[in-house]
Amino acid sequence: MSKMPLKTSSAMHVHGSDGIHASLADDGVLDIYWGESKLYQSSSAAFKDCLESIAPFLRADGVEARKRDLLLVRDHLNVPQVELATHLLEYFDESNSKNMQVRWNGVCLVGFDHASYPNVPALDAQQREALANQVGRWHTSAGNRVKEFELVGVNIDLFCIPMPNVNALRTRVLERMGAK
C-alpha cells in the first residue's frame, strides 16, 4: 500500500506511515512490513525518529495503532490478482483463524549527512579503519534506539544512506514532486 492513503492529512505528505507491504512466508505466516523513512542531518536523530515512528505498530501492545492502518490496507489493497487479494484478505478478517498468523515487521530507510562520504576502493588502511569505526557507531546508535523503543526481537530491515547533504536532496525531490 502506498504512502498517501496512510496519511493523517492528504494535504500534508509528511505525516503518517510511509507504506505497508506484505509477503507470504514459506511457513504460511503473512509478514507485514510497516515502512518509514527519515532524512535528517544527524544520524542519531534520524534513527531515533524513524524507530519511534514505527514502534507503535510493531510492539506487542500495538494492536490499536495497527488497527487503523490495517483497515486501510484491507480497503485499499493494491494487488491485481483477484485470487491473491482474496487470500490476503483472509488475514484481515478477525473471524478467520489466519488473522492470528501474522508477523509485524519494519523496514526503515534512514538518510543523514556525512560530508566526507568516501570512495571506498580508493581508501587506504587507516581510512578504512576510520570508516569501519563510523559504521560501528551508526550500528550502536540504531541498536540503542531499538532497545529504547522496545523493538528487540522485532524484524526490522534498516537501510542507512549517508549522503553529502540531506537538505539539498530533500529540496530537489520536493521540486520534482511540485511540492513546497
Side-chain angles (χ1 to χ4, degrees):
M1 179 172 185
S2 65
K3 180 176 183 169
M4 290 313 287
L6 297 168
K7 297 291 126 185
T8 55
S9 167
S10 61
M12 181 56 70
H13 62 279
V14 297
H15 296 301
S17 300
D18 287 342
I20 299 176
H21 302 275
S23 67
L24 190 57
D26 291 339
D27 61 2
V29 174
L30 184 67
D31 280 308
I32 297 181
Y33 297 86
W34 257 265
E36 188 64 42
S37 61
K38 298 292 181 193
L39 300 176
Y40 288 6
Q41 288 179 318
S42 158
S43 61
S44 180
F47 292 134
K48 177 186 182 295
D49 284 1
C50 188
L51 293 168
E52 183 175 35
S53 291
I54 64 166
F57 302 106
L58 301 181
R59 288 193 307 250
D61 65 355
V63 174
E64 290 303 314
R66 288 189 287 268
K67 193 173 277 190
R68 177 186 158 269
D69 279 3
L70 291 176
L71 288 173
L72 287 169
V73 168
R74 185 194 67 198
D75 295 344
H76 299 281
L77 195 61
N78 185 11
V79 178
Q81 299 89 357
V82 175
E83 279 186 40
L84 178 58
T86 301
H87 182 69
L88 286 173
L89 288 173
E90 292 176 353
Y91 288 89
F92 301 104
D93 178 356
E94 291 182 9
S95 67
N96 191 311
S97 63
K98 286 186 179 180
N99 182 263
M100 302 302 292
Q101 297 174 357
V102 176
R103 264 187 300 259
W104 314 113
N105 306 280
V107 60
C108 301
L109 182 140
V110 177
F112 46 87
D113 283 359
H114 187 63
S116 58
Y117 194 79
N119 177 358
V120 176
L123 296 180
D124 63 30
Q126 184 178 10
Q127 292 168 320
R128 285 181 188 270
E129 184 177 338
L131 178 60
N133 289 336
Q134 181 63 59
V135 170
R137 287 190 294 276
W138 294 331
H139 186 269
T140 298
S141 179
N144 288 339
R145 299 307 181 178
V146 164
K147 291 175 192 164
E148 176 183 354
F149 298 114
E150 302 172 10
L151 296 171
V152 174
V154 175
N155 178 37
I156 301 174
D157 295 319
L158 177 61
F159 298 89
C160 300
I161 305 178
M163 59 188 71
N165 189 310
V166 165
N167 286 332
L169 173 68
R170 182 179 287 114
T171 299
R172 287 194 307 266
V173 168
L174 290 173
E175 284 173 358
R176 299 247 352 202
M177 288 174 46
K180 294 183 180 187

